[in-house]
Every structure is written in C-alpha cells, then in structure tokens.
Amino acid sequence: MLVPLLLTMLLSPGTLLVSDELGVTMSVPRGELVQRPGDAGAAFLIRERGSTPSWSLKIESIELDEPDPEACLRAALASRLPPETSATAVVEPVLLGDRPAAVTWLTHTAASGRQARLGWLAAPQALGHCLLIGAVTTPEAADSTQPLLQQALTSARLIDRVDGRPQLEADLRVGQAALDGLDPQTLRSLDGRSHILRVYDPNGKADREVAYGTLTASIAPRAAVRTTPGPASTAEQEEGLLVVTHLRFAEDADTYVDRVQRCWVSWDLARESWVDSTTRTQGKQRTGSEEIAIREPPTVSHPRGQLLVIRQDDAHGTRDTWTLHPESPWLPRALRWFVRDLIPPAAVPRAAWHTWDDSTMTPRATIRRDASDRDDLCWIWSGRDGLPSSVRFSPEGQWKRATTVDGIRIEVSDEDTVRRRWTDAGLRLR
C-alpha cells in the first residue's frame, strides 16, 4: 500500500501521512502541521501555511460502533453541526481501496454570518472505531481548494486490521535483514565521522536560525556515555560505536537550550545505552533534565529484551523510571543519523524498524518507515508526527540535509557559516 501512495506523493503537490495511532494513510496537501495525536491532542490538524489559511484538515478516529459508513457519517455530523444543517447533508458512498466509506460536502453559515465550505468522510474501522476526516475551506477559495481536499479525503486507506498491514510486515523483515548485514567492520567505518550542523527554518521571508552543533561518531567503551567520571565496570569497558550530538537551540536572544545526546551501541547491536542531557539557560537561571537508558538483549525471563529508561527533571524535582520490551527488528538510537549511510536507499529502497520515540513526554517505542525511489533521497515516517521527514544524500552516499515535518532543515555545514549566521542574528554561540 505504501509504495503506490509514495509514488503518488512524489508526483503531486501533496505529502503522505502515515499514522498507526489512527490507523490510516492518506495523501494530504502540503501545509502546516498544527496538532498531532498524543501529547498535543487526539487528532491531526493540518492547514495551509500563512496567517489567513484558506483550508484545513482534521483527521481523527472516534469511538463509534456503527458498521454502516453512511450511518457513521450522519452520527458524526449530528454531534458537530446544527440539526437543520446535518439533516440536509447529501451523503454519498465511496470506496477507500476495498473498504466502504461515505463522504459529503455542504455550506455552513456560522452565527456570525460567515460561511464555510465543509467536507466530511467517515469509514468504519475495527474495534468500534470510525475514521473521521473533516475538511474546511473558505467559499472564496472553494473552486481551487475543494477538488484538492476531495482528493485528499478519498486517498485515505485504512491500516487498522491485521490483513491491512502486509506491507509493513514485509518492510520489517527487510529492516531485520539490513541490520543483520551490518557487521563490526561496517560499523567501524563510521569512526571519525564528524559534522557541524546548522538547523534553521526557511519558511519565512528570511532564514530563522533554530540551532547549531556537532555530530560525531567514534569507537569508544560503553562508559563513554556517562557524564560523570569514575571507574568503569566490566560491562562498561565493552567497546562499541559512540555517536554524540551537541546542539544549542535558541528560543530567543536571551534563552538557550543545550542538548547533548551520547548514544552507544555494541558491535552486534544487541546492547545499547544513552544519556540525553538538556540544560535550559534564561539569563542567569539554569535548569536541567536528563534521560538515561540501558537496553539489554533477550533472556529467558525477557525474551524480547529489556529497555530501562530513567528520567530526571531538576526544574520539577521529579525522577521517573520505565521498563519497556523492544520489538524486533530494533534500530539502535546511535544509528538513527547514519543508518541510511550504511544501508543506502539504492540497496534497500524500503525498510522499517522498531525504534525509540523521543517526540513524546511518555517513553515509548515507535515504528520508523523508510521509503525511496531515488538514490539521493529517502522519506522517513517516525513517531506520532504522521508526516514524513526527508533526508538527502551526497554523491558519496553520506547524508547532507534532513527536512522535518514542519519544514525545519538540518544540514551539514561549516563553522564559518554557522558563526556568521548566528552573529548576524544577534544570537550567542556556546
């Protein structure tokens, strides 16, 4: 399912949303991701970029145990629109692949007298849920935006059933085989890799500097993730790959967040640990937080292995501990920057892995999906964002730029460029 939609996305002005939480994939117009499921709410909200957007999409999965799609849609409309408006809606059946759904478009007049053109699509899902997608556009823009939004609505495909996930299962098998092919010699080839990173937002009239820092890879003992010196235990003396990122984020000219992530993984990828430290400085005030994680391989008592996560927040005086059981294949955190340098898109166009999700307040694992039809570009879906990030590669096969779901760019740069841009923006370097 993913590949045809990916090709459609690459050939159209849209982008592909993939959400396991809502059980849907769909092509959506390029816009601004305002909300996602999880920490920020229970739905995706995407709208046109700019101060006065002419369209928006809301994508959610609601509790509604109604197998008939038209009944699903009418029940949803009844709870969201005045009775006289929902009663006049003309509901039409459609198919999302081989799954029945229903769609309607109507004009709604608010109490203020302002009109809007509304579109709705409903499709019954498993376990008493219904996919509900709402589209809104202004009457002035409807001639151009309604066909675009209608195309987005009917591009939806449900992935909420076991028989709807064969592509993911196949991609996970490919991901496992790709990791199995990473021998110690291949991992050692990253030793000495060092990049200066520039992070910026190009979406305004001028680039806005977001962060800068370094990304390095080296051969080191497990103890190298620790931030405090001391004698290393036998386990901590094990040699492996250490990947370190040190980024400074600028909230404004007086407030900065320094984040250091030290991630280690063994040569057989069976054991890993990391320390993720964040320090926020506002004027003379400093607060910090730290995340420590240790992943051990499967045992008789823990056949999937075990991931212990400890988080400490100095600002709130809290310390919490979680234990997770990773699924296979598992992508170590140390490889998230370099896995596609080691496993190029040309060799493995499609793959998926279970991995750590650092985009949520509550620790959890997620699925990372990679897909590409070009040697120099890879699309990545990971976490609850739903929309893909992109990674571009140099002719030598090394990544050179990543663009996140909200358009932020992370690119390999140089010290002079970073220093000049931060100085011109009135920001403090470390």
Side-chain angles (χ1 to χ4, degrees):
M1 179 194 306
L2 184 60
V3 176
L5 288 176
L6 172 67
L7 296 177
T8 299
M9 177 190 74
L10 295 175
L11 295 172
S12 71
T15 188
L16 183 64
L17 180 144
V18 180
S19 173
D20 289 299
E21 282 76 19
L22 301 187
V24 63
T25 69
M26 63 180 294
S27 179
V28 299
R30 297 192 188 279
E32 177 184 9
L33 181 62
V34 179
Q35 178 181 293
R36 63 180 188 174
D39 299 332
F44 284 104
L45 182 59
I46 304 168
R47 67 185 181 192
E48 183 184 34
R49 291 188 181 277
S51 57
T52 56
S54 65
W55 63 264
S56 67
L57 277 171
K58 186 176 183 180
I59 308 159
E60 54 189 326
S61 180
I62 62 175
E63 291 188 11
L64 192 59
D65 194 5
E66 173 57 67
D68 180 72
E70 294 186 25
C72 273
L73 183 52
R74 292 200 178 277
L77 291 179
S79 64
R80 287 164 170 76
L81 294 173
E84 64 274 12
T85 302
S86 59
T88 59
V90 178
V91 176
E92 299 179 356
V94 294
L95 285 176
L96 306 181
D98 62 350
R99 300 282 291 274
V103 66
T104 188
W105 282 91
L106 53 89
T107 300
H108 174 62
T109 302
S112 62
R114 182 172 176 79
Q115 287 190 332
R117 189 72 176 149
L118 307 181
W120 298 90
L121 180 138
Q125 294 177 292
L127 304 177
H129 277 71
C130 174
L131 174 69
L132 184 66
I133 307 173
V136 181
T137 183
T138 60
E140 301 81 19
D143 287 346
S144 59
T145 58
Q146 184 172 330
L148 190 67
L149 295 172
Q150 172 71 6
Q151 183 180 14
L153 295 180
T154 55
S155 73
R157 297 294 182 268
L158 303 182
I159 54 171
D160 61 320
R161 300 189 304 191
V162 174
D163 61 1
R165 299 168 63 92
Q167 185 65 68
L168 174 59
E169 298 300 327
D171 290 347
L172 288 170
R173 290 193 293 270
V174 171
Q176 182 67 70
L179 292 181
D180 291 343
L182 297 180
D183 56 24
Q185 182 178 355
T186 302
L187 294 172
R188 286 175 179 272
S189 69
L190 294 174
D191 183 34
R193 186 77 66 88
S194 180
H195 296 312
I196 294 176
L197 304 181
R198 177 189 173 216
V199 186
Y200 64 100
D201 184 354
N203 296 309
K205 293 181 179 180
D207 292 350
R208 178 179 65 86
E209 301 304 312
V210 174
Y212 83 95
T214 56
L215 167 64
T216 61
S218 61
I219 297 172
R222 185 172 182 165
V225 301
R226 290 199 277 122
T227 56
T228 55
S233 65
T234 301
E236 288 183 312
Q237 295 175 21
E238 180 182 7
E239 185 182 82
L241 179 69
L242 176 71
V243 176
V244 180
T245 57
H246 187 176
L247 292 173
R248 160 161 281 203
F249 294 84
E251 294 185 7
D252 53 49
D254 194 48
T255 308
Y256 299 86
V257 175
D258 290 288
R259 185 176 184 182
V260 182
Q261 300 179 67
R262 306 176 65 84
C263 306
W264 178 92
V265 64
S266 60
W267 297 127
D268 60 3
L269 307 184
R271 294 166 300 286
E272 69 175 310
S273 59
W274 68 76
V275 176
D276 186 348
S277 302
T278 300
T279 303
R280 186 175 187 271
T281 305
Q282 184 174 23
K284 296 182 179 181
Q285 295 183 342
R286 290 167 61 92
T287 56
S289 62
E290 188 173 68
E291 175 182 280
I292 301 171
I294 301 172
R295 181 173 66 89
E296 297 296 345
T299 62
V300 173
S301 57
H302 299 288
R304 290 182 295 172
Q306 183 169 281
L307 177 63
L308 175 66
V309 181
I310 302 170
R311 284 184 178 174
Q312 180 171 312
D313 188 335
D314 295 341
H316 300 91
T318 59
R319 180 182 173 90
D320 299 293
T321 302
W322 295 267
T323 300
L324 293 82
H325 300 287
E327 300 282 350
S328 295
W330 180 265
L331 180 66
R333 194 168 183 184
L335 294 185
R336 69 193 188 281
W337 290 93
F338 294 120
V339 66
R340 277 311 192 167
D341 288 28
L342 302 175
I343 307 170
V348 182
R350 230 176 35 246
W353 301 276
H354 298 275
T355 191
W356 177 250
D357 185 0
D358 64 352
S359 68
T360 58
M361 297 297 293
T362 303
R364 69 166 206 145
T366 189
I367 293 175
R368 167 172 161 170
R369 294 173 171 87
D370 287 18
S372 177
D373 68 342
R374 291 167 45 180
D375 297 348
D376 65 339
L377 175 66
C378 185
W379 297 92
I380 299 172
W381 293 261
S382 183
R384 295 179 184 262
D385 285 325
L387 301 177
S389 299
S390 65
V391 179
R392 295 187 179 274
F393 299 88
S394 68
E396 295 74 31
Q398 296 185 10
W399 82 272
K400 62 179 182 179
R401 174 187 289 173
T403 304
T404 66
V405 296
D406 52 4
I408 301 298
R409 290 181 181 173
I410 308 166
E411 66 182 22
V412 176
S413 186
D414 60 83
E415 186 173 353
D416 290 342
T417 298
V418 168
R419 184 175 296 277
R420 172 173 52 82
R421 289 186 175 276
W422 271 58
T423 301
D424 290 348
L427 301 173
R428 292 203 306 268
L429 297 160
R430 289 199 302 265

